[in-house]
Amino acid sequence: VRDLDWDFMSVWTREGLTKYGETAGPFKVFRQRNLMKESLQMDIHQFLQEMEAHDPETHPAPDWLVDFGLKEGNPLVDTHNVIVKRFFSHLYKEGLGINNYQFMVAPVQTGASPHFHYTSARLMVYGRARWFLWPLAQAFYSNRDIYDWYMKDYPDLQGAERPLECVQGPGDLMYVPALWGHGVMYMEDTIGMASLFRS
């Protein structure tokens, strides 16, 4: 699904995010080193500066911002919901309800290693992401960071282990059915948000 009506989404620009961050307080930032994941707090202006200075050649596992605490009434959540409800309104009407929202700002080569959960819809506002998807019977968890998994495990996958793949770009809304395995690797610096439903 591609939606190009971005006029009302000025809060998602760099300037909009920086202004929003002045009153929003710190966000949750993840730092992965080997198999250990550390959680930090950082304001969005500081994070955007560090992301801009990131060099993937010398630092392939940079920090990335993923905040699970945003609620309806937040301008980022509300503009995200306008798009998601336009295409998947039945998810809200069937009583599934939202488990959480995931607001993401991430440098190239970060992302989510293979995992699975209930139904989700992810809107890409900026950047591109490569998706790896497996049906229920092949879904699994990996504790490697996504780039490490891609370099070391992905080349050896055979037959049904091989994922379906696609690339998500700006304005694309990705729907992942409940319990489908999926991993996401950012091909560029990215900004987006996901809705995770309860079923």
Side-chain angles (χ1 to χ4, degrees):
V1 174
R2 183 172 294 278
D3 189 288
L4 300 178
D5 181 14
W6 299 108
D7 291 345
F8 69 101
M9 297 190 73
S10 60
V11 69
W12 288 91
T13 64
R14 183 186 180 98
E15 294 76 17
L17 287 173
T18 300
K19 183 177 180 180
Y20 165 74
E22 290 174 357
T23 57
F27 288 86
K28 183 176 287 186
V29 173
F30 288 116
R31 176 171 293 165
Q32 179 125 7
R33 297 295 181 265
N34 300 316
L35 298 181
M36 302 298 294
K37 186 182 291 184
E38 179 184 357
S39 179
L40 314 171
Q41 295 289 318
M42 191 178 297
D43 71 67
I44 198 162
H45 179 66
Q46 178 187 356
F47 180 81
L48 289 172
Q49 286 182 319
E50 291 193 9
M51 188 172 80
E52 191 172 35
H54 167 240
D55 181 354
E57 295 298 322
T58 60
H59 192 192
D63 302 341
W64 74 104
L65 187 155
V66 184
D67 200 297
F68 303 89
L70 305 186
K71 307 291 184 184
E72 290 189 17
N74 181 290
L76 296 171
V77 171
D78 291 346
T79 51
H80 165 80
N81 276 339
V82 168
I83 304 297
V84 177
K85 288 181 178 180
R86 186 179 300 171
F87 299 103
F88 300 120
S89 59
H90 66 283
L91 295 175
Y92 297 83
K93 294 177 181 177
E94 292 173 357
L96 299 181
I98 294 289
N99 183 46
N100 64 52
Y101 295 97
Q102 295 182 359
F103 169 56
M104 292 162 277
V105 183
V108 62
Q109 294 183 358
T110 59
S113 54
H115 64 289
F116 56 90
H117 47 62
Y118 289 127
T119 302
S120 66
R122 188 193 191 286
L123 176 65
M124 180 73 81
V125 177
Y126 177 83
R128 293 187 306 145
R130 183 173 175 178
W131 282 76
F132 309 92
L133 300 126
W134 295 265
L136 280 70
Q138 280 76 47
F140 67 98
Y141 269 86
S142 172
N143 60 1
R144 293 185 183 277
D145 74 76
I146 185 63
Y147 186 70
D148 189 47
W149 172 85
Y150 177 73
M151 296 300 292
K152 296 178 181 177
D153 293 355
Y154 174 82
D156 295 328
L157 298 178
Q158 302 291 327
E161 298 176 331
R162 299 288 296 180
L164 303 169
E165 297 188 36
C166 65
V167 173
Q168 181 186 25
D172 289 344
L173 182 61
M174 187 74 179
Y175 172 81
V176 181
L179 303 182
W180 269 61
H182 55 285
V184 186
M185 184 170 68
Y186 301 132
M187 304 166 68
E188 302 170 352
D189 294 347
T190 63
I191 302 173
M193 184 175 286
S195 303
L196 272 70
F197 295 86
R198 293 198 180 101
S199 180

